[in-house]
Amino acid sequence: MNINDPFGRLRKQREKEYLSLCKTLQDAGVNNRHDAQELMETLLRRGKIGILIVVPFTLILGSLFAEAQQYIYVVGFLIAVWLFKTTTRSRQHIKRYIEEELTNEEDSREF
C-alpha cells in the first residue's frame, strides 16, 4: 500500500492513460522504436515552446492589468505547471510503450 495513493486510484488512472495512449499510437502507425523516439522529441519540443509562450504572455498580461496581476500570475503558473506535467507524463508513457510493446516485437523479429 502506497501512502500517497492508498486505494490505488492514481495507479489505475495512469494505467488507463497508458492503455489509451498505446491504442492511439498503434492506430497512428507508431510501430517502431525510431517513430516513438521521434514522437518523444516532438512532444518535448512542443512542451518547451508552450511554456516559452505562456511565461511571456503571463508577464505581459500581468503588467497590463496591475489590479489583477496576482490572479494572472497564478493562472499562468498553473498553466505552465500543467503543461510541464502533461508533457512529462506523456513522455513517460511513450518510454514505457517503447520498452514494453516495441522491444518485445523487435526481439521476436530477430529470431
Side-chain angles (χ1 to χ4, degrees), residues 16-35:
K16 286 180 185 178
E17 290 173 359
Y18 171 72
L19 294 175
S20 175
L21 180 73
C22 284
K23 184 178 180 334
T24 302
L25 291 175
Q26 290 168 353
D27 291 345
V30 179
N31 53 9
N32 62 41
R33 186 181 283 265
H34 174 72
D35 290 344

Side-chain angles (χ1 to χ4, degrees), residues 2 6 64 70:
N2 187 352
L64 290 176
Q70 294 173 344

Side-chain angles (χ1 to χ4, degrees), residues 6 12-15 19-20 23 26 31 34 40 53 58 60 62 70 72 76 79-81 95 102 106-107 109 111:
K12 290 175 187 175
Q13 181 181 359
R14 298 296 173 252
E15 189 65 24
L19 294 175
S20 175
K23 184 178 180 334
Q26 290 168 353
N31 53 9
H34 174 72
M40 281 180 44
I53 289 172
T58 301
I60 290 169
Q70 294 173 344
I72 292 171
I79 291 171
V81 168
K95 284 180 186 176
L102 301 181
E106 291 175 2
D107 291 343
R109 288 185 208 155
F111 295 111

